[in-house]
Amino acid sequence: MPSIRATGNGKRGASRGAPLLRLRIGFVLIAIVLSFFGARLVQLQGVDPRSYAAMAAAEGAARLPLEAERGDILDRNGVPLADSIRGKMVIADPVLTAGTAPDLARLLSDRLSIDYFKTLSALRGRNTGSRYEYVARRVPSTLAGDTLAALDDAGFEGITLEDDPIRDYPAGDVAANLIGYMGTDEPLGGFERTFDKQLAGTDGLATWQSTSGKGVRIPLRESTLKEPKDGTPLHTTIDRDLQWFTAKVLAQAVQQYRAESASAVVLDTRTGETLALVDVPTFDANAPTAPGVKKEDRGSRAMSDTYEPGSVEKVLTVSSLIDAGKAFPRQKFKVPPNLARQDRVIGDWFDHGMIRLTLAGIIAKSSNIGTVLAADAFSPPQLVAYLQRFGLGQKTNVGVSGETQGLLKSGDVMTSQEKDRVAFGQSLSVNVLQMAAAVNTIANKGVRVSPSLISGSAVTDEGMTVGTDVATRTRVVSKQAARGTAKMMEKVVDPEDGVAPAAAVPGYLVAGKTGTAQRVEAECGCYDGSTTVSFGGFAPADDARFTVYVVVHAPRVDGGGGSIAGPVFSRIMGYVLGRYGVEPTNGKPSRLPVEW
């Protein structure tokens, strides 16, 4: 039986091939899609993960700056001269405040004493879509809380509070010229500015994922916290109570003698620590822009202004002469009524004929002519070398910005006539602390200890380390030369022989020196007819504990260093000796002769 073979038209073979083709095409498409996602994953996780993570985090992220608390500025006893108190920042969400902005701005401006139109702008949003606008900064916490309660009672929404510490100066104008003051966000003077990096600390930041841009935290979502690092306190050598007392005495003198300004310094003789550095006029650091406050009142004239020291400089000259073996306290001089030198005639502050004075008498009577005759033993370079060792012509570098170094011409170019004038305190300039430290060198047995305003050490924002830890000690003149000069300075306050008996402190041996110098007018560079009077000294004279230097600029009452600055010195020195419990030494007064 013949076999039968199946036959067909080929459709069955085609049906088998079509699914396979479709399957292959599907696999290709899936591979393409997977490749796309794979490439995207590589891009997200490998090529640029941080930028995409940041974009994702930014979507709905909330950020809250955490402000560091500024470090306190303290006096030598840890009493705050500047500190930070609780304050608040008033924040508006314009989405919620724009509709009621006029009424809300009126209420806020009235209660917080802020500008109405600036407040209105913040409430409406300074930028399109803004949800965070500052309305007021540094608002006392109680006032801010009461204001927020009043807004709630009135039915206003969209105002919140954040911490915003307020810089406070508890003693007002005490040491304001040194401490400085703060603006809204930055320091604008004094130690606040010089040591800003130390005081400011480092701000922190809190971030979290929020819903609808309203700052509400999404549970279990990622958040970060960078804690703020508070500023480091700055410890000064200032005694707040002594600073206050010195300022009051100095202000009374300015008023009494109708002076332009005045400064005073109190130094611990042995350590060089500055217990008080006062300028009058001054200002309240809590209100630095108050009506009547001048720009020049907001700095330290004692550090930035220069003046001729006058006759106080004579004690530097004579101690240098004694140290060099070119003079001695009982040395005899014939002092004529005037002294003709090449470029001018030198006279004394008092009229006299030919008088016979010892070197001690030249200091006691403050004779310009006698000082020049004694200084003839020095060449200009020799005198200048000594004055430089006393610190003249150089900054004290105590950490006060704007300090001047004064002016002391090099000995190589100084003429003999200029040397004559420098010997008794003209043709050179100093700042107050610089000259106080020079007088203190004699008080400290001939050793100059560099003055300090910072206890321990601190680094200025310019990178200079200052403070008692880095104070230097330099032998300037011998102990014998310093002691001989101190004995001569005792005669200055002697009621019979001296020109400044009003500078005496009852019960104590006092050594001091008066100064009266003509003032130079800045524009013309010439003397303007006014004077600067001063008195510098120390006590107890035979074992000095404190040095006080008082300077009064342009008094409008006749008088010199003895009659104007001397009484101020006496009150300040008497107070500091009592405050620190320094007992009289019961030493015998100087018996050096002033005439022969």
Side-chain angles (χ1 to χ4, degrees), residues 263-265 301-302 305 307 430-437 549 551 553:
S263 299
V265 176
R301 290 184 176 87
D305 289 3
Y307 62 97
V430 296
N431 70 49
V432 173
L433 184 57
Q434 186 185 69
M435 195 63 191
Y549 183 50
V551 181
H553 295 293

Side-chain angles (χ1 to χ4, degrees), residues 52-117:
Y52 285 97
M55 290 172 62
E59 187 71 26
R63 298 164 59 89
L64 177 63
L66 303 176
E67 187 168 342
E69 184 170 313
R70 195 169 181 82
D72 294 347
I73 301 177
L74 308 170
D75 89 335
R76 65 186 299 104
N77 299 310
V79 179
L81 297 170
D83 58 12
S84 297
I85 61 176
R86 294 182 62 188
K88 294 294 182 179
M89 182 189 310
V90 180
I91 305 298
D93 179 352
V95 171
L96 301 176
T97 61
T100 58
D103 292 337
L104 181 54
R106 188 173 298 107
L107 192 153
L108 287 169
S109 61
D110 288 344
R111 296 188 67 94
L112 302 179
S113 298
I114 55 179
D115 184 84
Y116 170 82
F117 292 102

Side-chain angles (χ1 to χ4, degrees), residues 145-222:
D146 291 345
T147 300
L148 189 61
L151 296 180
D152 290 340
D153 291 343
F156 290 109
E157 295 182 343
I159 299 296
T160 56
L161 304 178
E162 294 179 6
D163 289 338
D164 196 19
I166 300 171
R167 198 59 165 172
D168 181 56
Y169 303 92
D173 62 357
V174 175
N177 304 77
L178 296 174
I179 302 306
Y181 58 101
M182 292 288 294
T184 301
D185 289 304
E186 61 180 348
L188 297 177
F191 290 157
E192 293 280 27
R193 185 170 183 175
T194 303
F195 299 97
D196 182 50
K197 291 180 181 178
Q198 171 178 328
L199 294 167
T202 305
D203 290 345
L205 180 68
T207 62
W208 63 88
Q209 296 299 301
S210 66
T211 58
S212 305
K214 293 183 179 181
V216 178
R217 186 179 302 228
I218 301 176
L220 304 181
R221 292 295 298 273
E222 183 180 357

Side-chain angles (χ1 to χ4, degrees), residues 260-261 306-308 426 516-533 552-556:
E260 181 180 293
S261 64
T306 60
Y307 62 97
E308 292 189 347
Q426 290 186 356
T516 301
Q518 299 178 77
R519 284 166 52 84
V520 176
E521 209 283 323
E523 292 186 4
C524 70
C526 57
Y527 293 121
D528 63 6
S530 64
T531 60
T532 290
V533 300
V552 181
H553 295 293
R556 293 179 178 84

Side-chain angles (χ1 to χ4, degrees), residues 492-495 498-506 535 561-571:
V492 173
V493 300
D494 187 280
V499 295
V505 179
F535 191 94
S563 60
I564 294 177
V568 179
F569 167 91
S570 177
R571 290 185 64 188

Side-chain angles (χ1 to χ4, degrees), residues 471-493:
T472 59
R473 302 177 69 85
T474 306
R475 169 66 67 182
V476 177
V477 297
S478 68
K479 183 177 180 179
Q480 294 74 18
R483 183 67 189 130
T485 304
K487 296 297 288 185
M488 291 189 288
M489 294 170 69
E490 286 183 43
K491 304 299 291 186
V492 173
V493 300

